[in-house]
Amino acid sequence: MIFVMQVLKFGGSSVANADNISKVIHLVRQALTKDRTILVVSAFGGITDMLIQAALSAAAGDEAYKESLQEIEHRHLETVRALLPITRQSAALSAVKTRCNEIEDICSGVYLLGELSPRTQDKIVSYGELLSSYIIAARFAALDLEHAWKDARELIVTDSRFGHAAVDFPRTNRNIREYIDSSSASLIVLPGFIAADEKGITTTLGRGGSDYTAAILAAAVDARVLEIWTDVSGMMTADPRLVSNVRLIPRISYQEAMELSHFGAKVIYPPTIQPVMRKNIPVWIKNTFAPEDPGTIIELDTLHNGDSIRGISSIPSIALISLEGSGMVGIPGFSKRLFEALSSYQINVILITQGSSEHSICVGIDESNVTTAKNAIDHSFQPEISSGTVDPLNVETGLSVIALVGDHMKSHPGISGKMFGAMGRNGVNVRAIAQGSSERNISAVIAAGDVKKAINVLHEEFFETSYRQLNRQCRPPPHRTASAPTGLASATIAHPAAGRRSGQ
Ligand code: ADP
Ligand code: ASP
Ligand code: MG
């Protein structure tokens, strides 16, 4: 059977409570009038963090984990009571209780052993998405809306890197297509974020991974569109929690979106773009709480709007590690050994700079990896450290990366001068600089305490000057100024895939 399909994903805040879920249900019902729909949902807002906290407390021998689990159970039971008619409640309440008892059993095992493996942690957090998707599906059943609930672990196959599993795409795509072809449901509800390895053991796709689940499904079924529904009205020129005058980015290329999210724009989880980009499926970022707002469309190529910079983003909790020493000059293989040491411990490299003297290599990594990185690299360079040709790894913490992103930066000279000039004038000290060879970003490492100031200064420098000028001419309605670019407030954006693949 071939259908035109769409994939809709709703994040944690969109499904945080019964009122919000009702909004989601309304939006899904509207969407169903268009196409067959796959609905991917996150855990209720905050639940994943609470599950991790409960697991960590249990491992630390702290009985407080029981209270956290009670709170988790209470939130889910309350949501069931608020969403379902009395006649349907008892079955759903006991299903929720059964799952919560399972979490409790696992946590009590962790408590007794005093140990939490990544595998057990994945099992515990998986209940967040299992519970939310179950309750939302129960609401559809109460509305007599034909649907199927499907466990994502039966479709998405990964390796066994718990916490950050890598997807086996050939098997996953086959599973998804077979399932979709065999199902006649016009609405399929799935938990995001969770998957299983080839032995069927639960894995997860990384924090924020429900976006990725949705993209994997969209690419496998050649969806017409992937819609990511969240708590902001699209991708903005900066994180609205850090800058008050942000502007909406109405359209953005896959590469720019990937770069912005890689450098911290949490609105979309970085791996999400890859599968849909390969299939040229547009991604539409929409606000569950303001569905009439146009949102952002991520697509292959976008019209250049005249801005050389699309957005500014930042990554918190960065450490800079640098390897230095006179013995490094001109000798090949040093960087290879450094990166091998990092990759053998699966430490993700966020940014690299190397002085042209080849006297030092400097790498930005997540602060949580510092001890492992230091041990691994010092061990790998032990002979050179002993002979004094290389210094022990130098580590600096308490840093953040800040990045300017835009496809058209390369054709606009002077951007880095403007960037570093603005930061310098405002007393922001730059510890390291990197520019991607694609020239799609310039990134700098600065003190964590300077991030808010730096982003605001750069936002003003690159976006607000011309914005203020335009604003004076056009005077958009005041409530729109923070979220929509001038002139766009009343414009309508066509559905990203209108007319696309209509024959499928
Ligand atoms: P969800 O739970 O729906 O997946 P997330 O919290 O993961 O939502 O992502 C949405 C958040 O991303 C927003 O509330 C916003 O604070 C943050 N964010 C960071 N950078 C940006 C940006 N450039 N544009 C929009 N939102 C951003
Ligand atoms: N619930 C998971 C998390 O909080 C996945 C997601 O929401 O995308 O990371
Ligand atoms: Mg998210």
Side-chain angles (χ1 to χ4, degrees):
M1 267 183 286
I2 298 175
F3 290 96
V4 180
M5 297 207 66
Q6 58 188 346
V7 179
L8 274 57
K9 177 262 170 178
F10 288 85
S13 43
S14 302
V15 295
N17 53 47
D19 279 351
N20 295 1
I21 292 173
S22 299
K23 293 189 173 69
V24 170
I25 304 264
H26 175 73
L27 291 166
V28 173
R29 293 184 92 164
Q30 279 183 338
L32 277 169
T33 60
K34 287 187 234 144
D35 290 322
R36 198 174 174 210
T37 300
I38 297 179
L39 171 66
V40 174
V41 292
S42 289
F44 294 174
I47 293 291
T48 308
D49 286 337
M50 287 173 76
L51 285 166
I52 293 173
Q53 200 43 54
L56 291 172
S57 301
D62 181 353
E63 292 214 15
Y65 82 87
K66 292 184 183 160
E67 277 159 44
S68 307
L69 294 185
Q70 260 163 20
E71 208 183 317
I72 291 169
E73 179 173 312
H74 177 73
R75 252 185 84 184
H76 288 94
L77 293 177
E78 278 302 291
T79 310
V80 168
R81 288 194 191 99
L83 272 181
L84 301 187
I86 302 268
T87 46
R88 299 235 178 206
Q89 280 183 15
S90 67
L93 291 174
S94 72
V96 167
K97 280 202 165 141
T98 305
R99 287 173 174 81
C100 290
N101 288 342
E102 287 168 17
I103 311 175
E104 170 114 39
D105 287 347
I106 303 168
C107 284
S108 94
V110 170
Y111 176 78
L112 291 173
L113 283 171
E115 192 198 327
L116 175 67
S117 67
R119 169 176 164 171
T120 305
Q121 180 166 317
D122 270 1
K123 179 76 186 166
I124 293 170
V125 293
S126 72
Y127 282 94
E129 269 69 10
L130 288 172
L131 282 162
S132 68
S133 59
Y134 168 79
I135 294 171
I136 290 164
R139 175 68 187 149
F140 284 123
L143 291 168
D144 280 332
L145 213 147
E146 182 230 344
H147 70 283
W149 178 88
K150 181 70 179 168
D151 190 336
R153 294 173 299 181
E154 291 168 16
L155 301 180
I156 302 178
V157 185
T158 65
D159 64 12
S160 307
R161 258 193 286 160
F162 298 102
H164 251 289
V167 175
D168 176 343
F169 276 98
R171 289 177 65 179
T172 299
N173 289 339
R174 209 178 319 125
N175 290 347
I176 294 171
R177 284 188 205 119
E178 276 171 18
Y179 170 69
I180 294 295
D181 284 348
S182 68
S183 162
S184 58
S186 53
L187 171 65
I188 296 159
V189 184
L190 281 116
F193 181 49
I194 64 173
D197 69 9
E198 57 179 19
K199 294 193 198 113
I201 296 167
T202 302
T203 58
T204 60
L205 302 174
R207 292 302 306 272
S210 295
D211 295 340
Y212 191 31
T213 305
I216 294 165
L217 287 153
V221 302
D222 269 305
R224 179 180 56 77
V225 63
L226 165 61
E227 297 182 4
I228 303 282
W229 289 82
T230 182
D231 60 0
V232 273
S233 292
M235 261 190 143
M236 307 288 165
T237 45
D239 185 344
R241 289 182 205 181
L242 296 176
V243 177
S244 51
N245 288 330
V246 290
R247 290 162 55 184
L248 172 75
I249 306 172
R251 308 188 103 93
I252 185 168
S253 72
Y254 290 118
Q255 272 87 1
E256 286 172 316
M258 213 159 17
E259 207 93 355
L260 267 179
S261 65
H262 174 77
F263 283 104
K266 178 174 176 247
V267 63
I268 193 150
Y269 180 52
T272 307
I273 305 291
Q274 276 289 346
V276 280
M277 182 169 75
R278 247 181 274 132
K279 292 282 184 89
N280 192 15
I281 296 167
V283 183
W284 201 6
I285 301 183
K286 294 278 291 174
N287 188 345
T288 305
F289 308 99
E292 68 290 349
D293 282 358
T296 296
I297 294 158
I298 307 174
E299 59 191 349
L300 198 57
D301 268 318
T302 53
L303 279 179
H304 190 203
N305 64 353
D307 283 341
S308 46
I309 305 294
R310 276 280 197 224
I312 306 168
S313 53
S314 64
I315 318 178
S317 310
I318 294 294
L320 266 189
I321 53 172
S322 38
L323 192 65
E324 297 183 22
S326 54
M328 289 170 59
V329 182
I331 301 175
F334 270 90
S335 2
K336 177 168 177 272
R337 279 165 65 194
L338 176 93
F339 292 113
E340 265 171 9
L342 291 173
S343 85
S344 61
Y345 286 89
Q346 287 162 17
I347 296 172
N348 189 24
V349 170
I350 294 166
L351 163 149
I352 308 166
T353 58
Q354 178 170 25
S356 55
S357 69
E358 297 181 38
H359 203 237
S360 72
I361 307 174
C362 189
V363 178
I365 59 172
D366 193 277
E367 241 170 30
S368 62
N369 294 321
V370 156
T371 313
T372 319
K374 168 117 181 105
N375 291 339
I377 293 167
D378 282 351
H379 178 74
S380 167
F381 286 91
Q382 190 49 50
E384 289 84 356
I385 291 172
S386 302
S387 68
T389 49
V390 169
D391 302 333
L393 189 75
N394 185 46
V395 173
E396 202 179 334
T397 54
L399 303 169
S400 290
V401 172
I402 181 164
L404 292 187
V405 170
D407 272 347
H408 296 274
M409 270 165 51
K410 51 179 169 286
S411 47
H412 287 71
I415 288 174
S416 42
K418 206 169 159 187
M419 175 180 184
F420 295 110
M423 291 208 283
R425 279 195 306 280
N426 287 279
V428 176
N429 185 31
V430 174
R431 283 289 303 105
I433 300 169
Q435 175 161 27
S437 57
S438 64
E439 291 188 55
R440 207 170 273 127
N441 79 73
I442 305 174
S443 43
V445 180
I446 60 175
D450 282 341
V451 165
K452 193 159 182 194
K453 176 165 74 174
I455 296 198
N456 277 279
V457 159
L458 293 176
H459 197 269
E460 199 171 328
E461 187 78 25
F462 286 98
F463 293 107
E464 294 176 37
T465 322
S466 56
Y467 178 52
R468 273 203 294 270
Q469 283 163 4
L470 280 172
N471 209 5
R472 233 175 276 135
Q473 293 159 10
C474 302
R475 292 177 196 275
H479 71 281
R480 291 283 190 171
T481 50
S483 61
T486 310
L488 199 98
S490 59
T492 39
I493 287 195
H495 194 277
R500 189 178 167 274
R501 297 162 187 256
S502 52
Q504 283 193 353

